[in-house]
Amino acid sequence: MNVRKLEASERFDSRVISAVAFHGRIEDEDKAREESLKESAEDWGAFSDDGAMMAHIINNKYESFIDGTLVKNGGIGAVSTMPEYRNSGAVREIFRHLLPAANTDGEAVSTLFPFNHAFYRKFGYETVPYRNEYCFAPSVLAAAGYRFDGRARLWKPGDSAEEFTGVYSRFAENFCLMMRRDDKMMTGRLGGGYLKERRFGYLLSSGERPVAYVIYQDKRQDSRSLLSVEDLAFDGPEGFAAILGFLARFTADYNSIQLILPRCIELYSVIKTPRAYEIEKKTDQSYMIRVISVPKLLAAIRKPEGTDFTIRVTGDEFIPDNNGTFRVTMDGAERTADAPADMEADIRALGQLCAGVVSLEEARYRDDVRICGKAGMLTGVFPGKPHFVEDHF
C-alpha cells in the first residue's frame, strides 16, 4: 500500500470515493472533474499495489482559539474508503502519514466531526461536548419579557460581511476551539440569502453599534414550522439579550425555535421565564479533538503566574515525539528526562484538558489521568473553559 498527498489530477477520483462512501451523487461528471482541478485543500490518498485509489482523507487548514491565542488547527474531513477496500487498514495508513506531517507543518491540534467516536479514538481523538441545542416555542421568550428595540439589518447577497465578522471575532476569542474567520468565510456562512435558501442573517445593533448577529434557516418538520439558528455571536449580556429579544418576535411565524449555545451558558439558569419546563435540551458531542504537538498546545494554554510542573504524556502511536515527560512553565513547554512527573495523561485526555472540555477535577475520573503532585497548581492550569464550535468541514 502506498500513501501520499494527491496531485490535482487525482482529486476527481477522491471525489468519487466520497460520493460512493457517503451515498452521494455526481450529476455532471465533466463539471465536477473541472472543479476538482481548482481545489487546494490538502488531500491524502491510499493506493493499492496495482495503483488504485482505495481511500482518502482531507486535512483542511484553519486557525482556532485556545485561551484567546490562535493555533494551527487541522480539520479532518471526507474520510472515506471504497467498499471493496474496507477493513484493509487504508484509513489507518493515511493517518500514520498525515498526523506526523501535520506535526511537522506546525499544527497544534486536529479536530473532526466523527461518524463513530470509538473509530477515531483509535487514532488519538477524544470527544468534545461542544454545544447545547435548545428547542422551545417563541412564546416562551415573549412570556419572559424579552424584547429587542434596537436595529435589525438583514444581510443580502452582495452586501459586505465585515460587521458580522467583527462581532464574530470579538465573540470567538473568548471560546476555545472556535475558528478564526475572515470576511470570505463569514460570507460563506451567510450563504445564498433568504430568497434562494430561506437562510436569514440579521445584524443586531444598539444605536449605531453592532452587538450581535444571528443566522437562521426556515425549516419545516411535517406540518410544523421551525426556526433553526445555525450561527450566532454576541457581545456579552447585551448582545445575548438582543438575540433572545429578536427571536421573541416570531411567535406568529414559527411553532418552534432551535437555538444553539455554548455549554457554559445554561439557558435554564439564565432565562427569565416561569415556563422553563417547556424548553428541551440536548448536548451535541459530534466533535473530537487530538493533540498534534504537545509542546505547542501546552505553550498556548493560559497558565497561572508561577506555573512550573512536569507532565508525562503517553499513548500516541502515530506521533512518537508527543510521548515523554515535558516541563511546563510560563515560558512554554520542553521535553525533560530528569524530573519525576507531577501528572500523567494519555494523549486523548490531554486534548480535552487543554481545550477545557473537562476540568482536571473531572478528568481525574478518567482511567488515563493521574495526579502525582502539585495538585493545587495543576487544578489552576486545567480548569473547565468556555468552548464552542460553529464551523463545519
Side-chain angles (χ1 to χ4, degrees), residues 93-207:
E93 284 305 306
I94 294 176
F95 271 121
R96 196 175 296 283
H97 289 75
L98 184 157
L99 293 172
N103 178 282
T104 301
D105 194 39
E107 289 181 21
V109 296
S110 177
T111 52
L112 54 80
F113 290 91
F115 76 94
N116 181 294
H117 291 110
F119 179 81
Y120 286 105
R121 280 195 183 98
K122 295 184 296 185
F123 309 119
Y125 291 83
E126 191 51 279
T127 54
V128 175
Y130 67 103
R131 70 183 187 186
N132 287 335
E133 295 182 0
Y134 298 92
C135 191
F136 51 88
S139 58
V140 169
L141 298 176
Y146 285 101
R147 180 183 176 90
F148 175 63
D149 294 318
R151 180 189 176 208
R153 179 167 61 83
L154 175 64
W155 183 89
K156 301 174 184 177
D159 289 351
S160 170
E162 182 179 359
E163 290 183 295
F164 284 83
T165 307
V167 174
Y168 174 87
S169 298
R170 296 192 297 273
F171 177 73
E173 66 182 12
N174 298 300
F175 294 91
C176 289
L177 300 181
M178 289 199 76
M179 301 292 182
R180 184 190 69 82
R181 288 187 194 167
D182 55 22
D183 290 344
K184 181 179 179 181
M185 290 178 68
M186 182 59 70
T187 300
R189 294 294 291 172
L190 288 159
Y194 64 97
L195 292 176
K196 182 177 180 181
E197 300 176 355
R198 301 298 294 162
R199 180 181 285 113
F200 298 79
Y202 275 96
L203 186 72
L204 308 179
S205 298
S206 175

Side-chain angles (χ1 to χ4, degrees), residues 145-389:
Y146 285 101
R147 180 183 176 90
F148 175 63
D149 294 318
R151 180 189 176 208
R153 179 167 61 83
L154 175 64
W155 183 89
K156 301 174 184 177
D159 289 351
S160 170
E162 182 179 359
E163 290 183 295
F164 284 83
T165 307
V167 174
Y168 174 87
S169 298
R170 296 192 297 273
F171 177 73
E173 66 182 12
N174 298 300
F175 294 91
C176 289
L177 300 181
M178 289 199 76
M179 301 292 182
R180 184 190 69 82
R181 288 187 194 167
D182 55 22
D183 290 344
K184 181 179 179 181
M185 290 178 68
M186 182 59 70
T187 300
R189 294 294 291 172
L190 288 159
Y194 64 97
L195 292 176
K196 182 177 180 181
E197 300 176 355
R198 301 298 294 162
R199 180 181 285 113
F200 298 79
Y202 275 96
L203 186 72
L204 308 179
S205 298
S206 175
E208 296 300 316
R209 182 172 62 90
V211 296
Y213 74 76
V214 59
I215 300 172
Y216 67 89
Q217 191 157 26
D218 182 315
K219 294 185 177 180
R220 302 284 155 173
Q221 294 183 334
D222 299 323
S223 61
R224 298 178 63 81
S225 56
L226 172 70
L227 184 160
S228 177
V229 175
E230 299 184 342
D231 198 290
L232 54 74
F234 47 87
D235 287 337
E238 182 182 14
F240 181 63
I243 288 177
L244 296 185
F246 179 74
L247 294 177
R249 295 180 175 185
F250 292 100
T251 54
D253 304 78
Y254 296 96
N255 301 113
S256 302
I257 290 174
Q258 183 175 290
L259 176 65
I260 56 170
L261 287 176
R263 291 180 66 233
C264 61
I265 303 176
E266 174 58 70
L267 192 60
Y268 290 133
S269 300
V270 301
I271 194 171
K272 303 179 298 181
T273 179
R275 298 169 55 181
Y277 58 87
E278 298 183 24
I279 302 174
E280 300 176 1
K281 182 187 87 168
K282 74 171 185 177
T283 298
D284 197 332
Q285 299 192 82
S286 58
Y287 203 59
M288 300 186 84
I289 185 173
R290 190 202 200 283
V291 181
I292 295 296
S293 170
V294 168
K296 281 185 171 61
L297 191 53
L298 287 173
I301 63 173
R302 185 179 297 118
K303 296 173 279 291
E305 192 68 34
T307 291
D308 190 345
F309 69 93
T310 54
I311 180 171
R312 182 170 179 262
V313 182
T314 59
D316 199 331
E317 171 190 347
F318 296 86
I319 310 176
D321 284 349
N322 280 336
N323 297 315
T325 303
F326 298 84
R327 183 186 177 194
V328 184
T329 65
M330 298 294 293
D331 297 326
E334 58 183 17
R335 185 179 298 276
T336 178
D338 301 328
D342 299 309
M343 174 182 174
E344 297 177 357
D346 180 82
I347 194 71
R348 297 159 186 83
L350 184 62
Q352 287 186 320
L353 283 162
C354 290
V357 174
V358 297
S359 67
L360 185 63
E361 289 300 312
E362 294 173 293
R364 292 173 70 173
Y365 292 95
R366 291 182 58 113
D367 61 5
D368 52 8
V369 174
R370 190 163 74 95
I371 309 304
C372 310
K374 299 186 178 180
M377 176 184 293
L378 290 167
T379 299
V381 173
F382 298 112
K385 303 171 185 177
H387 57 279
F388 194 37
V389 178

